[in-house]
Amino acid sequence: MSQAQPLINKLVVVGLGLIGGSLAAGLKRRGGCVETIGVVRTAEAGAQALKRGVVDRTCASLAEVAPELGPGDVVFISVPTLAVAGVLEQIRDCLGPQVTVTDGASVKGSVAKAAEQVFGLVPPQLILGHPIAGSERSGVAAANPDLYEQHRVILTPLENTDPVHLDRVVQMWQRVGAEVLNLSVEEHDEVLGATSHLPHAIAYSLVDTLAQDIGNPNIFRYAAGGFRDFTRIASSDPLMWHDIMRANKDSVLSALDLFMNNLSRLRTAVAEEDSDHLLGVFTRAKAARDHFTNILAKRAFVDSMSRSKIDYLLQPGGQVRGTIRVPGDKSISHRSIMLGAIAEGITTVEGFLEGEDALATLQAFRDMGVVIEGPDNGRVKIHGVGLHGLKAPTKPLYVGNSGTTIRLLAGLLAGQAFDTEMSGDESLATRPMGRVADPLRSMGAVIDTAEGGRPPLRIKGGQRLKAIDYALPMASAQVKSCVLLAGLYAEGTTRVTEPAPTRDHTERMLAGFGYPVKRSGATAELTGNGRLTACNIDVPADISSATFYMVAACIAPGSDLTLTHVGINPTRIGVINILRLMGADLTLSNEREIGGEPVADIRVRYAPLKGIRIPEEQVPLAIDEFPALFIAAACAEGETVLTGAEELRVKESDRIQAMADGLQTLGVNAQPTPDGIVIQGGPMGGGEVETHFDHRIAMSFSIAALRASAPIRVKDATHVATSFPTFVELAKQTGISLEVIDS
Ligand code: S3P
């Protein structure tokens, strides 16, 4: 496997344990250096290292090999943390400044301090580093040339660090397969103190407690997987961890204090049988472990470290057949959490969409102290806290990619007693929030936005809201819902009038929670300060997700697909109306009403489509479905014209431009207009299309492949997980040839 040029002439490893031995062996295996030399304390250790082929030769001290070292050579110090100072003294006495020196100690502040004591300042040749790849195993016998593959190495360069030495160390780690990150010394020690040093302290203490202090000699005989998983790290090298606890004393102490405080609160909850506290801690922790590491770290979608970027590769042709159920409705899932949280009693939800947008809403309410069990196979249990029971979150709420979360929550948070801040990912940061901030301000809310009315939103609590009569300037269910939710906290009767019907899930669901909402013509109204009573919610399958498969069946000859349990709320069925106008063969059966929302099974069989002029009154009823409908138009005979749809320009991407660009790439004549698009149906080729990180653009071009004459590569399809986590699985199941590839 040796590759390319050696990066390093001689690599000298001081301390041939797991970390040092693995680096030497890894570089050797990959041709990363000309020669590897181990400095060992005992002849046995040297013999073992040579026998295992970890290094080319060994010596007893650094001084012995120092005269041979010069530019292009690297000394790697991997001795226990508190022993690093002694090695630095030897370096001062025998090495010149041309030799690169780096270390692998788990604490960086103590090494920096030792270097200052030895050299007067941390010398420019010394790169402080920490490979995060240890395990409970230690010693040269555990050395593994592949240990660093796909692991992270943190470097903590200082202002005076020499860039040539730094670059050599970065390349060294990359050569053994690691990803290199930079942190400050202080941040490194704080983060590692909490995520690594604290768990080791707890694991050692727990095992010691069981072994020493619990009188039953059989205690380990009955210990099962939980004990094994939790305490694996108590088998780590005691001397190494002794050093780490002392070297990172301050950070370890603050992490221990925080933890002991929380543990003692948990003790009280056990003693007092405080179910709410127990369930609160356990459900939040489970969520953090299962799903939310990215959201909590505010890096969903943007950080390639936390999430690999993926593309879809689609082979042309094929047909879709079978019976499928797409995941739960996104709009209804969001609202089930919001209303369940401010209701009195326990609300149960079935069919909840476990996509990232709805999960962001769920996490926001957990952050405001609401106990939420699940989601577990679409089942969620929300322990409602009542209209005035939300608690101030300890940090800004992070809502990822979700416009619905930020806009609806803005209304609800405007009425709280506490301040909040909401932010999201790069796409959300560009989306207009003035449309919700303006009416909320006229109700008396105090809201700050970033420049141009964009997120983050800062909402000041403790304001007395008053009801307003609001005529929506655009047909937007998000704005309507935002004002109605603020109306729950306002004095008087809030009225919202819409220019065209938009989805009415908020109104229907409020009624389901026993909160009176009056509808007269285009106006919905409610009076503030009532109460919501918990209920059971059955979320229908999302017609917006079903759309991709409906269009797939419409355009691919030979298709016959049934979608079950699809929500067919009259404010959402624009897609059915438009496809039928285009000549599609759609049959609805088993129509029924579930929890205030109509649902049906929809069977779609292939039929040739024709281009149409899309009636403007259908636009708000199909607002999320246009990307897929544009694919239908491209496969239809003749011209399709869309007007009155300027809202599409401010969705997760500018969907008019993104779709026009992608269609043109595939050879389709698609001309964007300020408020719509004109598409000439015709043959479609293949190519590479950009999604602009928009889930619906990604899924639309995936189904387009059914009628393309060559493969389509859909770039950056990661965001499909925001609304349709099972899209790939269902594509494969129905007959679409889709391969997920790392980009
Ligand atoms: C939604 C309303 C629509 C839609 C969005 C969800 C909702 O936005 O595009 O995906 O749940 O209220 P607008 O109301 O802003 O058009």
Side-chain angles (χ1 to χ4, degrees), residues 330-331 335 404 407 435 475-478 503 623-624 651:
K330 184 154 76 77
S331 294
R335 288 158 171 83
T404 310
R407 295 209 179 103
R435 54 178 61 197
S476 166
Q478 292 184 349
R503 64 192 68 190
I623 193 69
D624 289 338
K651 292 295 178 188

Side-chain angles (χ1 to χ4, degrees), residues 3-8 11 23 26-27 30-33 72 74 100 102 127 148 153 155 163-182:
Q3 38 163 266
Q5 292 282 309
L7 303 161
I8 296 169
L11 172 78
L23 177 65
L27 280 173
R30 292 165 182 77
C33 51
V74 174
T100 306
T102 185
I127 315 300
Y148 299 110
V153 172
L155 299 182
V164 175
H165 289 300
L166 176 62
D167 187 52
R168 187 167 295 128
V169 174
V170 170
Q171 290 200 40
M172 173 184 88
W173 285 116
Q174 286 170 343
R175 181 61 74 89
V176 291
E179 180 153 20
V180 177
L181 300 174
N182 283 355

Side-chain angles (χ1 to χ4, degrees), residues 178-529:
E179 180 153 20
V180 177
L181 300 174
N182 283 355
L183 279 184
S184 71
V185 168
E186 297 71 28
E187 199 182 351
H188 170 276
D189 288 357
E190 190 188 315
V191 170
L192 273 289
T195 57
S196 169
H197 309 169
L198 174 67
H200 278 83
I202 299 169
Y204 280 125
S205 173
L206 174 71
V207 176
D208 188 48
T209 305
L210 297 199
Q212 297 300 315
D213 302 333
I214 294 189
N216 185 340
N218 285 323
I219 189 109
F220 290 126
R221 192 181 292 171
Y222 305 110
F227 173 80
R228 194 182 52 233
D229 292 346
F230 188 79
T231 59
R232 176 179 56 80
I233 52 180
S235 285
S236 306
D237 180 349
L239 172 66
M240 176 173 138
W241 283 97
H242 157 271
D243 279 15
I244 291 172
M245 296 300 155
R246 288 185 48 192
N248 200 21
K249 182 172 160 185
D250 292 345
S251 298
V252 172
L253 283 181
S254 28
L256 271 172
D257 286 347
L258 204 62
F259 179 67
M260 284 161 68
N261 223 340
N262 285 350
L263 197 62
S264 129
R265 178 70 192 84
L266 197 69
R267 187 195 183 284
T268 312
V270 173
E272 292 173 358
E273 299 177 22
D274 178 349
S275 295
D276 258 14
H277 185 85
L278 293 175
L279 275 172
V281 173
F282 297 171
T283 51
R284 283 195 303 274
K286 175 169 165 50
R289 187 76 164 82
D290 290 351
H291 302 289
F292 292 115
T293 348
N294 291 331
I295 288 176
L296 291 174
K298 299 192 174 200
R299 62 178 184 211
F301 319 121
V302 291
D303 185 312
S304 62
M305 289 292 303
S306 58
R307 167 194 297 266
S308 55
K309 290 215 172 84
I310 52 164
D311 293 353
Y312 291 164
L313 182 62
L314 294 122
Q315 297 307 322
Q319 51 187 224
V320 287
R321 300 182 73 85
T323 299
I324 56 171
R325 177 166 169 168
V326 301
D329 188 280
K330 184 154 76 77
S331 294
I332 298 176
S333 296
H334 281 299
R335 288 158 171 83
S336 69
I337 301 291
M338 295 182 190
L339 299 190
I342 55 167
E344 288 165 32
I346 294 182
T347 291
T348 57
V349 185
E350 296 275 344
F352 179 80
L353 167 66
E354 294 183 40
E356 294 184 1
D357 278 12
L359 291 172
T361 293
L362 193 150
Q363 180 63 24
F365 282 91
R366 281 201 172 120
D367 288 347
M368 291 189 285
V370 180
V371 174
I372 303 174
E373 296 176 64
D376 178 12
N377 275 321
R379 264 186 297 278
V380 181
K381 229 171 161 183
I382 308 151
H383 296 237
V385 295
L387 210 53
H388 299 284
L390 296 175
K391 295 201 186 97
T394 54
K395 52 187 189 307
L397 302 171
Y398 181 73
V399 303
N401 193 240
S402 179
T404 310
T405 311
I406 196 166
R407 295 209 179 103
L408 269 60
L409 265 187
L412 208 139
L413 296 177
Q416 304 303 318
F418 49 83
D419 298 350
T420 37
E421 180 177 332
M422 282 188 285
S423 66
D425 71 3
E426 274 170 293
S427 150
L428 194 78
T430 65
R431 299 185 64 189
M433 296 298 142
R435 54 178 61 197
V436 289
D438 292 344
L440 291 175
R441 284 181 187 129
S442 61
M443 297 177 84
V446 178
I447 301 184
D448 256 5
T449 65
E451 222 184 291
R454 316 278 162 197
L457 292 184
R458 281 186 202 88
I459 302 174
K460 189 125 196 63
Q463 312 299 316
R464 278 173 70 101
L465 301 187
K466 48 188 187 314
I468 51 167
D469 278 9
Y470 191 61
L472 288 172
M474 74 288 287
S476 166
Q478 292 184 349
V479 182
K480 172 178 66 174
S481 302
C482 166
V483 175
L484 289 175
L485 290 176
L488 296 175
Y489 293 89
E491 225 172 76
T493 299
T494 297
R495 291 184 191 85
V496 189
T497 304
E498 45 190 6
T502 67
R503 64 192 68 190
D504 62 359
H505 306 301
T506 305
E507 299 93 301
R508 284 174 189 252
M509 202 183 282
L510 276 167
F513 277 91
Y515 204 104
V517 181
K518 212 167 105 196
R519 180 94 210 183
S520 34
T523 304
E525 65 174 67
L526 56 75
T527 302
N529 291 309

